[in-house]
Amino acid sequence: RSMAGRGRGRGRGQMTFNVEAVGIGKGDALPPPTLQPSPLFPALERRAAPLPGGEEGEYMLALKQELRRAMRGLPYFVKPGAPRRDIERYSDKYQLSSPVDSAIDWNPDWRRLPRELKIRVRRHRKGRTIPLVPKQQVALDKEETIKKLESLEKKEEEVTSEEEEEKEEEEEGKEEEEEEYDEEEHEEETDYVLSYFDNGESFGPDSDDNGDEAVY
Amino acid sequence: MTQAELRLCSLLLQEHFGEIVEKVGNSLLRTGPRPLRLLVGDTGLLPDQVKKALCVLIQHNLVRYEVQPRGSVEYEARSERILRILRYPRYIYTAKTLYGDPGELLVEELLLHGHLSMSRAVARVADRLTETMEDGKTMDYSEVSSTFVRLADTHFIQRCPMVPESPQSTKVPPPPAPALAIAEKDMYIVPRLSLVGKGKRRHSCDEEEEGEHKAKRQKQEEGTSETPPDDGIYWQVNLERFHQHFRDQALVSAVASRMDQTSSEVVRTMLRMSEVTTASGASHTQPLSSNEIFRSLPAGYNIGKQVLDQYLALLADDPLEFVGKSGDSGGGTYTVSILSGELGVTRGHGASRASPSPFQHPSFIPLLPHRFGSRCARIFRLLLRKKHLEQKQVEDFAMIPAKEAKDMLYRMLSENLVSLQEIPKTPDHAPSRTFYLYTVNVMAAARMLLHRCYKSVANLMERRQHEMRENKRLLEKSQRVEAILASMQATGAEAAQLHEVEEMITGPERQQLETLKRDVNKIDASENQVDETIFVLESFIESTTKRP
């Protein structure tokens, strides 16, 4: 028996505790030091237990996959906008969902949410999407108004009655919901990171009361 | 939050809500509560995208907000709640076993949408059920309503906090965000609605719905023409209640495997009677008299009162203390001990009884032998029972040769499943005069295993997504072929033509698709399985840390 590891084999790592007590006997070869991280896929020493099968397992599996599929189709799945095209294409007019729209696809109860989060609700009009898309952009995009109006003149001739109804509804919509007209919404077309230039004022409690501002 | 939890939360958000929501959630999880402005800067997303994402996250109770004293609103991610997305299939399945199809769909709709009003939930579920019924038949709202009420009565669903009734005062500007609140006593009160109606089928080309009718119907769907009678009253799933149910199930099956079917039924009855009177996290149920228990036994159980009393006595005497006797009135009162039952807590030093712990839960038993070998598992169980053992004692009690025992102990030591405790014999702590005892630090081991579980699920998810990406081209092709086949069948194509289209997918491709499906199913099933283990571990850790 040696005292506190003194007198043990020279050059060997000396521990602060009596290694015999932990079971490393005299002369036992210690495993070599580890010089690299453990392998990414270490060899499996034994196979994993089989998964429990059975009705419950099967049903829950089906539920899980169904849930995943369903959620992708719901408006809560926020899709990134389509990349902005360099030139305006004919097919753009027929895109059903405009890229990175300042609109939300479902109607939350805004009373329950902080006011700063409010954005326009995009209304789904089944079967009337084609004339609608450019029309909404006309209503809200100051900069592209003139361009779009010209391209729409032709369309307007075709579907006058529907549009009049829509016009009313659009205006109704505008009155019903406070529209947030942050400067930033109109500067979206720049490449600059807008948040760097935000002085924070637009997010205070005061600037949200612009529902009475005239819409140009 | 550990890296493993963060990664898992990220994956769950991305899979169910897309990358934009994931980015926002990630930012909140990693850097803590922040206002909108900083979030926009952090994520590099456009303000509207961030707003949308926050709306989604708040809708689903994954993020909460708080108005700061200076008037700005701060958003905070709820990581534990995000992890619960993994458990959604289990909640839905449980609802099905308890309340049938209407129950299943109600819980599913509430989970899919975060929260809903009763009127909308009932309408949606009735429509969905109607779709599955034979032509001409519809599901009446009343049946769905009554299931809704039952779910509320048993607390599986609860009301969301409400917007306060604000006085119409023009002097005070409205707050930047509403302070939602609800009293405990109001949480399960179902509004008195007379929901009359039947489910509607979704007809793809229904002549009735053209023109004006369509416009009117759509207006109604939007809800712009009339406010529903329960406006402002929203419901959500009460996850804690489901967790309580899972714990009860585990307890009952533990009793069944330790004793017999009848004893487990007795315990199940006692738990059912205490369902809503037991606070979540309570250590035992309210005392129940044996008379009451006798009256509440399920109809099929014809055991005499005396037999019941014998069972109760047996249960109370069992060292695992599933049931405790708390008094003698009414033929003896008993409680079910939730904490020191299945999901037990290790007793303090000096206790002589074996303390049950999550490691005796059925889902654990495979864990150890399959990672470390059955002998390791034997040593582990030994240490759990005996608490502290010296190296030599381990070898003797486990009947494993010294060399092997040493090796196993070190492996488990390096994985933090066991630890060494020093007991000095003399005040100078001299190593030669010190006991070195192996012991299982249950909490540390539980935490380590839980961390591993999170990692496992994250790995599984990534692998599954990888498999899908690798086979993307083939999957898309397969979907197109399916679509073509479906439309051809609808227009009455001949068998030969259909066959020709089917052949567009070659034999080896079919094989590949089969393999993919099998692999994805396996991975999905594994994720469900690991979540079961996560539940047991989390419950254990939570219950242990709660005790004073």
Side-chain angles (χ1 to χ4, degrees):
Chain A
R1 257 234 248 137
S2 54
M3 289 218 329
R6 217 174 290 152
R8 283 281 202 89
R10 283 274 163 99
R12 191 129 59 125
Q14 312 212 332
M15 314 278 169
T16 53
F17 59 96
N18 183 0
V19 286
E20 264 179 1
V22 220
I24 305 174
K26 259 197 197 163
D28 269 359
L30 291 172
T34 322
L35 295 167
Q36 54 192 324
S38 38
L40 207 49
F41 291 109
L44 261 185
E45 282 172 24
R46 43 200 116 241
R47 306 204 62 160
L51 285 168
E55 204 187 293
E56 185 174 328
E58 294 287 323
Y59 199 83
M60 277 185 45
L61 170 62
L63 272 175
K64 184 177 207 278
Q65 295 180 332
E66 179 51 38
L67 217 61
R68 195 159 56 226
R69 193 200 56 83
M71 292 202 80
R72 292 195 98 95
L74 286 174
Y76 311 117
F77 197 97
V78 181
K79 301 188 177 85
R84 220 163 261 280
R85 305 291 181 89
D86 40 7
I87 41 173
E88 217 181 285
R89 286 160 214 263
Y90 180 75
S91 58
D92 283 351
K93 295 196 181 84
Y94 295 89
Q95 299 288 351
L96 287 179
S97 55
S98 18
V100 191
D101 200 29
S102 54
I104 196 170
D105 287 319
W106 49 291
N107 200 3
D109 187 344
W110 294 111
R111 299 171 290 186
R112 296 178 67 86
L113 292 166
R115 290 187 298 138
E116 63 185 3
L117 292 183
K118 190 157 180 175
I119 47 185
R120 182 173 61 90
V121 174
R122 192 204 325 262
R123 287 163 190 255
H124 285 294
R125 282 172 179 72
K126 298 174 194 171
R128 287 196 215 152
T129 45
I130 296 165
L132 182 67
V133 172
K135 185 136 179 75
Q136 282 191 339
Q137 289 179 351
V138 166
L140 297 171
D141 255 359
K142 286 185 202 168
E143 290 140 42
E144 291 175 358
T145 305
I146 295 168
K147 246 200 291 178
K148 292 289 180 187
L149 270 178
E150 280 171 9
S151 67
L152 272 177
E153 266 177 1
K154 292 172 195 160
K155 290 221 176 74
E156 281 190 30
E157 282 153 37
E158 295 171 69
V159 274
T160 35
S161 57
E162 277 187 337
E163 278 192 338
E164 270 171 24
E165 222 183 281
E166 272 173 27
K167 228 187 201 167
E168 278 171 26
E169 282 176 356
E170 261 298 298
E171 281 172 5
E172 257 175 36
K174 273 186 264 174
E175 278 161 17
E176 276 175 50
E177 298 152 21
E178 292 174 79
E179 296 215 318
E180 307 257 315
Y181 256 98
D182 283 352
E183 294 275 319
E184 295 181 80
E185 280 176 34
H186 294 280
E187 287 173 52
E188 273 174 19
E189 311 210 14
T190 67
D191 289 334
Y192 298 119
V193 178
L194 299 162
S195 49
Y196 290 158
F197 303 104
D198 180 22
N199 60 5
E201 279 178 352
S202 52
F203 293 99
D206 296 315
S207 66
D208 285 357
D209 295 349
N210 56 3
D212 295 330
E213 263 180 20
V215 175
Y216 299 103
Chain B
M1 260 206 101
T2 61
Q3 272 298 108
E5 282 174 84
L6 272 173
R7 194 172 137 230
L8 181 52
C9 284
S10 229
L11 283 164
L12 286 168
L13 285 177
Q14 180 245 326
E15 198 158 79
H16 293 90
F17 298 104
E19 282 177 15
I20 293 179
V21 174
E22 180 208 352
K23 278 208 176 95
V24 173
N26 248 342
S27 172
L28 287 172
L29 285 167
R30 273 166 214 276
T31 32
R34 40 227 284 104
L36 178 61
R37 194 174 10 113
L38 289 178
L39 264 178
V40 175
D42 244 2
T43 55
L45 294 167
L46 296 164
D48 280 330
Q49 286 174 307
V50 178
K51 289 181 193 175
K52 261 192 259 199
L54 284 171
C55 286
V56 167
L57 288 164
I58 295 173
Q59 172 79 13
H60 283 82
N61 306 306
L62 302 172
V63 156
R64 59 172 153 241
Y65 59 80
E66 204 177 288
V67 182
Q68 296 303 301
R70 284 171 158 229
S72 63
V73 180
E74 263 191 8
Y75 301 93
E76 186 179 357
R78 300 175 62 197
S79 58
E80 354 66 60
R81 180 60 182 82
I82 297 174
L83 291 171
R84 294 296 82 86
I85 296 177
L86 214 47
R87 208 162 290 159
Y88 283 9
R90 197 171 174 193
Y91 300 134
I92 299 171
Y93 181 74
T94 303
K96 186 189 177 74
T97 57
L98 293 173
Y99 298 106
D101 287 343
E104 175 193 0
L105 290 186
L106 278 169
V107 169
E108 187 180 326
E109 285 290 321
L110 284 172
L111 286 171
L112 281 175
H113 294 273
H115 58 254
L116 283 174
S117 64
M118 179 176 174
S119 43
R120 262 200 90 194
V122 169
R124 292 186 72 94
V125 171
D127 286 348
R128 281 181 71 176
L129 285 170
T130 303
E131 291 282 325
T132 63
M133 292 166 86
E134 305 166 5
D135 275 341
K137 290 213 171 139
T138 53
M139 172 61 72
D140 201 270
Y141 279 18
S142 57
E143 192 177 330
V144 183
S145 278
S146 65
T147 309
F148 192 98
V149 171
R150 284 168 74 198
L151 279 166
D153 283 342
T154 46
H155 297 194
F156 280 102
I157 59 179
Q158 64 189 168
R159 273 166 65 152
C160 299
M162 309 203 21
V163 180
E165 295 276 341
S166 53
Q168 290 292 342
S169 114
T170 43
K171 286 182 199 163
V172 182
L180 304 176
I182 188 163
E184 179 91 31
K185 61 177 171 58
D186 295 330
M187 276 175 122
Y188 306 102
I189 299 179
V190 182
R192 289 189 155 280
L193 302 173
S194 55
L195 287 174
V196 176
K198 295 189 195 290
K200 295 179 196 60
R201 274 178 210 278
R202 207 164 295 245
H203 295 286
S204 47
C205 42
D206 196 324
E207 273 127 46
E208 285 178 38
E209 294 186 346
E210 273 176 17
E212 289 171 34
H213 294 280
K214 198 170 185 188
K216 278 198 191 139
R217 260 201 75 178
Q218 272 164 358
K219 263 214 162 165
Q220 262 179 350
E221 274 172 30
E222 303 278 88
T224 50
S225 53
E226 51 187 68
T227 42
D230 58 348
D231 184 43
I233 302 179
Y234 296 96
W235 292 80
Q236 61 188 358
V237 177
N238 181 2
L239 301 189
E240 266 314 302
R241 177 66 184 91
F242 277 94
H243 295 167
Q244 185 187 338
H245 180 84
F246 300 153
R247 276 194 288 272
D248 291 351
Q249 276 182 320
L251 253 172
V252 168
S253 69
V255 174
S257 63
R258 190 175 167 78
M259 300 177 79
D260 72 345
Q261 180 71 9
T262 314
S263 345
S264 76
E265 277 308 313
V266 170
V267 175
R268 192 202 298 273
T269 307
M270 290 173 76
L271 285 168
R272 205 170 11 94
M273 289 163 70
S274 323
E275 252 169 16
V276 293
T277 54
T278 313
S280 67
S283 60
H284 28 240
T285 61
Q286 301 295 314
L288 303 161
S289 77
S290 87
N291 293 335
E292 287 175 309
I293 300 171
F294 183 63
R295 283 196 293 269
S296 309
L297 282 173
Y301 268 83
N302 291 328
I303 59 173
K305 178 75 168 55
Q306 280 173 326
V307 178
L308 171 68
D309 285 334
Q310 285 175 331
Y311 268 110
L312 285 168
L314 261 174
L315 282 164
D317 280 339
D318 188 286
L320 284 183
E321 296 195 348
F322 291 116
V323 167
K325 187 155 188 195
S326 65
D328 284 312
S329 62
T333 53
Y334 299 86
T335 59
V336 180
S337 186
I338 303 171
L339 278 188
S340 64
E342 178 62 16
L343 301 168
V345 161
T346 50
R347 295 297 200 73
H349 303 290
S352 55
R353 276 188 273 257
S355 53
S357 69
F359 302 103
Q360 284 163 17
H361 188 277
S363 73
F364 272 101
I365 294 166
L367 243 187
L368 289 162
H370 288 273
R371 274 211 92 91
F372 296 97
S374 56
R375 289 184 158 185
C376 252
R378 200 195 305 168
I379 295 178
F380 189 76
R381 275 201 282 270
L382 182 67
L383 281 171
L384 270 178
R385 290 192 76 183
K386 298 278 186 181
K387 297 291 161 53
H388 302 279
L389 288 174
E390 281 184 298
Q391 162 82 35
K392 188 88 184 39
Q393 288 173 304
V394 169
E395 292 165 25
D396 292 341
F397 281 122
M399 297 179 289
I400 293 176
K403 206 164 180 187
E404 217 182 306
K406 257 186 272 175
D407 183 55
M408 290 177 180
L409 280 167
Y410 301 156
R411 290 187 62 200
M412 290 199 284
L413 191 65
S414 66
E415 303 268 3
N416 277 316
L417 277 174
V418 304
S419 49
L420 268 176
Q421 182 150 24
E422 290 179 12
I423 311 247
K425 290 188 235 188
T426 57
D428 65 352
H429 288 254
S432 58
R433 290 189 290 276
T434 310
F435 284 119
Y436 291 95
L437 301 176
Y438 283 99
T439 184
V440 176
N441 181 342
V442 186
M443 275 301 270
R447 288 207 160 94
M448 185 279 289
L449 281 170
L450 181 59
H451 182 262
R452 259 210 159 126
C453 284
Y454 291 141
K455 262 184 143 170
S456 296
V457 182
N459 286 348
L460 284 166
M461 287 178 79
E462 292 219 27
R463 184 58 196 233
R464 175 165 51 75
Q465 290 178 354
H466 170 82
E467 293 290 323
M468 294 293 275
R469 273 194 301 270
E470 287 289 292
N471 291 281
K472 190 173 166 188
R473 192 197 65 83
L474 182 57
L475 274 169
E476 282 174 355
K477 179 178 175 184
S478 155
Q479 280 167 355
R480 276 200 303 274
V481 168
E482 289 294 317
I484 295 171
L485 276 174
S487 68
M488 280 174 75
Q489 272 175 336
T491 58
E494 290 165 18
Q497 287 175 305
L498 288 173
H499 192 63
E500 211 180 294
V501 173
E502 275 172 9
E503 299 258 286
M504 280 167 64
I505 301 193
T506 67
E509 283 180 336
R510 232 171 258 286
Q511 191 65 11
Q512 206 179 326
L513 283 168
E514 276 298 312
T515 309
L516 175 66
K517 182 167 181 179
R518 197 196 59 214
D519 289 344
V520 168
N521 284 352
K522 205 175 218 179
I523 298 177
D524 266 325
S526 305
E527 291 172 38
N528 281 343
Q529 183 67 22
V530 180
D531 183 62
E532 258 191 54
T533 308
I534 289 177
F535 171 70
V536 174
L537 285 167
E538 279 180 346
S539 301
F540 172 69
I541 292 172
E542 194 189 347
S543 68
T544 315
T545 48
K546 260 192 197 161
R547 279 163 84 89

